[in-house]
Amino acid sequence: MTCDFKETTKIKVLLEMRPALEGFAGIPQEVRLLFRGLCKIDAIEIEGMIQTSHRVLAKGTKDGGYFWKNTTQSRKINRYSRVIISLAEQPHRNIIDLILDWIERRMASTKLLVFTLSGLNKVRLTRFESDTFEDFTWRTFFSKTLPASDFQLVSKANHRICSIPWNQMHTVGLNSLNVSTSPIYPRLDTKGFDVFIGQTPYPARVDPGTAFVIRYHDAIPVFMPHTIPEKSKHQATHFYALMSNVNSGAWFACVSEATRQDLLRIFPEAESRAVTIHNMVSQHYFKDDTSSRRVLEIIRARLYETSGFLPNFFSLREKENFYKRSLHVSQFRYLLMVSTIEPRKNHTRLLAAWEVVKADIDPGLKIVIVGTLGWDISSTTSAFKPWIDRGELFMLNAVPAPDLRVLYRHAAATVCPSLGEGFDFSGVESMASGGITVASDIPVHREVYEDAAEYFDPYSTMSLVKALEKVLYIPGAQLTQEAMRNRGEKVASRYLPEKLLPQWEKFLQRVVRENVK
């Protein structure tokens, strides 16, 4: 390939947006922040790729060709509108469409596998122009993380549609192992883009003219498969897609050096193509003077209302009286944990340590858990239930960042007890909000939080108890907290967009240069 790339030319980037369809935190949050950040780099022209895990999406418009050049604006708008509908349900179809769709669905996986193995076809991407559909793009992909001031920046960006579901592409790769010793995944038609950025191992190959970048978050499905959902399938899809990415010459932008080292333990041959660029932390997290009374309002408004996560009340009056007693106290002291509820996050270790502190040191201390329900949670939620019924433990869900900032700021401490992580936003968000962070002593926490957190053995309840005693209760604890807040402010500042975007720009320029040699 002729080397004709010039650094004065804008780099055309296609960024996978599928995780942004999901929750508030973790990878979905990082995708939104990365898209926003790349929008702010003058040397980059970015589009998102819209794809779902399971749903077949309606097609957008195509580039070029007599038909599309002469298609009326009204028909184009109808195509884009149908794409939006297809994210939730099937658009209206006539009888011919229904018959063709039925045939296509029955043959889709087999056809895709045959085309993939034969190399006869590519997964075509169609266009989605955001002009006049800004409300959709904003509320669907960005509003859970970004402030309203970013509306104009991100909502007008155009997107490409991958109609084939992500899981179907994974299935093709796994089925190819029946006839091949190495997985073979479909090829995306990324022609015209300098870089494609996929999130986690991505189940595809890209056009030779496109540099392939994987935003690699963690190797948990390989090294801790006992902690993941759908264990067999999840481990296989992660490992074999990762193998394919490595064999395809993909670059890896790892969210931490700990994650990069895990990647190289599996595939040492990727070392020259793997770099560390830490996650960005949202600008929602900063120190402010919001009253601690706001904490009580947030808890009451964001309680998990699902059956089993609230006490059993006989009437609305009983419910209101219960929360008046439990929340309206002169000094509401609490430990905070922000994480999906699943085995790797180690909620039960925090609960056990809190019970010791509550019994021996601080009877008024409560606990606030923020996070969605994950998998294999029965033992955790069973341990929570007696304390929920007594108004001592509060489970919250769908807490927006401005409210979470208040919870971080006024918590006695934010505890990050996880057994394994790729980055772990919550500790840095706590520091940025002026809070105290107590974290499990695992490599990624030491790397990301440095000397701004108090560490404990994640397998030892008493180790966490001693860490909490040191930070909150022993003589001189106030001085310890002040020092931790000062160090935390400095550490958190390292993950601001203005610190990390130059690394992204330099990295993307490098991969494009290498790809055109």
Side-chain angles (χ1 to χ4, degrees), residues 369-433:
I369 305 291
V370 178
T372 56
L373 300 180
W375 48 92
D376 298 338
I377 63 172
S378 58
S379 61
T380 301
T381 54
S382 295
F384 285 174
K385 190 63 169 69
W387 295 108
I388 291 173
D389 290 344
R390 293 166 62 179
E392 301 290 338
L393 186 153
F394 303 90
M395 288 183 61
L396 314 186
N397 185 40
V399 179
D403 286 354
L404 191 53
R405 179 180 71 240
V406 176
L407 296 180
Y408 282 133
R409 175 69 181 86
H410 294 289
T414 294
V415 183
C416 309
S418 183
L419 298 167
E421 288 289 344
F423 181 83
D424 203 346
F425 278 100
S426 61
V428 178
E429 290 169 350
S430 169
M431 295 173 191
S433 304

Side-chain angles (χ1 to χ4, degrees), residues 254-275:
C254 303
V255 300
S256 64
E257 181 60 23
T259 291
R260 180 176 178 272
Q261 291 302 319
D262 280 347
L263 168 66
L264 299 183
R265 286 165 64 191
I266 309 169
F267 294 108
E269 62 268 35
E271 182 172 14
S272 63
R273 293 177 276 124
V275 303

Side-chain angles (χ1 to χ4, degrees), residues 201 216 237-246 252 263 266-267:
Y216 196 56
T237 54
H238 186 105
F239 179 82
Y240 286 110
L242 182 60
M243 174 188 287
S244 174
N245 296 159
V246 171
F252 295 87
L263 168 66
I266 309 169
F267 294 108

Side-chain angles (χ1 to χ4, degrees), residues 36 39 96 263 286 356 379 415 490 517:
R36 173 195 181 271
C39 281
I96 296 176
L263 168 66
F286 55 86
V356 173
S379 61
V415 183
K490 293 177 182 177
K517 285 182 179 178

Side-chain angles (χ1 to χ4, degrees), residues 157-399:
N158 290 328
H159 298 267
R160 299 296 169 118
I161 307 299
C162 182
S163 297
I164 295 175
W166 181 77
N167 271 296
Q168 187 175 333
M169 293 166 68
H170 270 299
T171 299
V172 167
L174 294 182
N175 288 343
S176 73
L177 292 170
N178 293 324
V179 295
S180 172
T181 56
S182 297
I184 304 172
Y185 288 88
R187 186 180 295 279
L188 284 182
D189 185 10
T190 56
K191 188 175 181 179
F193 287 96
D194 299 305
V195 181
F196 171 73
I197 303 177
Q199 301 292 330
T200 71
Y202 191 77
R205 296 165 292 158
V206 299
D207 189 88
T210 304
F212 195 7
V213 173
I214 296 299
R215 184 57 165 157
Y216 196 56
H217 298 272
D218 61 66
I220 299 296
V222 176
F223 290 114
M224 302 182 73
H226 53 294
T227 68
I228 60 178
E230 298 182 288
K231 295 173 176 50
S232 177
K233 182 178 181 181
H234 192 168
Q235 189 274 345
T237 54
H238 186 105
F239 179 82
Y240 286 110
L242 182 60
M243 174 188 287
S244 174
N245 296 159
V246 171
N247 292 341
S248 296
W251 293 74
F252 295 87
C254 303
V255 300
S256 64
E257 181 60 23
T259 291
R260 180 176 178 272
Q261 291 302 319
D262 280 347
L263 168 66
L264 299 183
R265 286 165 64 191
I266 309 169
F267 294 108
E269 62 268 35
E271 182 172 14
S272 63
R273 293 177 276 124
V275 303
T276 295
I277 304 178
H278 289 113
N279 284 333
M280 286 175 273
V281 173
S282 169
Q283 61 268 48
H284 280 298
Y285 299 103
F286 55 86
K287 289 193 289 187
D288 66 12
D289 297 324
T290 304
S291 169
S292 60
R293 298 296 300 176
R294 176 73 181 125
V295 168
L296 308 180
E297 298 169 1
I298 293 168
I299 292 174
R300 186 67 186 88
R302 303 294 176 183
L303 282 169
Y304 230 122
E305 296 286 348
T306 305
S307 176
F309 299 103
L310 291 178
N312 297 318
F313 300 111
F314 292 105
S315 67
L316 179 60
R317 176 177 293 182
E318 181 187 7
K319 180 178 180 181
E320 292 305 314
N321 287 337
F322 175 85
Y323 285 112
K324 283 181 180 179
R325 292 193 307 272
S326 302
L327 293 174
H328 292 269
V329 294
S330 57
Q331 285 190 327
F332 187 85
R333 287 174 53 79
Y334 61 98
L335 298 178
L336 176 66
M337 181 175 173
V338 181
S339 171
T340 300
I341 299 171
E342 47 109 335
R344 174 172 53 90
K345 300 298 186 175
N346 211 14
H347 287 80
T348 53
R349 185 68 59 203
L350 171 59
L351 186 69
W354 170 72
E355 289 174 340
V356 173
V357 171
K358 189 173 182 63
D360 296 346
I361 305 172
D362 189 353
L365 186 68
K366 297 182 186 287
I367 190 166
V368 176
I369 305 291
V370 178
T372 56
L373 300 180
W375 48 92
D376 298 338
I377 63 172
S378 58
S379 61
T380 301
T381 54
S382 295
F384 285 174
K385 190 63 169 69
W387 295 108
I388 291 173
D389 290 344
R390 293 166 62 179
E392 301 290 338
L393 186 153
F394 303 90
M395 288 183 61
L396 314 186
N397 185 40
V399 179

Side-chain angles (χ1 to χ4, degrees), residues 123-173:
V123 175
R124 304 290 177 182
L125 304 180
T126 54
R127 291 184 61 83
F128 180 91
E129 297 178 0
S130 294
D131 186 34
T132 73
F133 293 102
E134 294 91 343
D135 176 76
F136 160 73
T137 56
W138 172 254
R139 291 203 288 161
T140 302
F141 297 106
F142 301 110
S143 63
K144 287 185 176 73
T145 294
L146 304 184
S149 57
D150 284 332
F151 181 91
Q152 294 297 327
L153 178 67
V154 299
S155 64
K156 291 184 177 297
N158 290 328
H159 298 267
R160 299 296 169 118
I161 307 299
C162 182
S163 297
I164 295 175
W166 181 77
N167 271 296
Q168 187 175 333
M169 293 166 68
H170 270 299
T171 299
V172 167

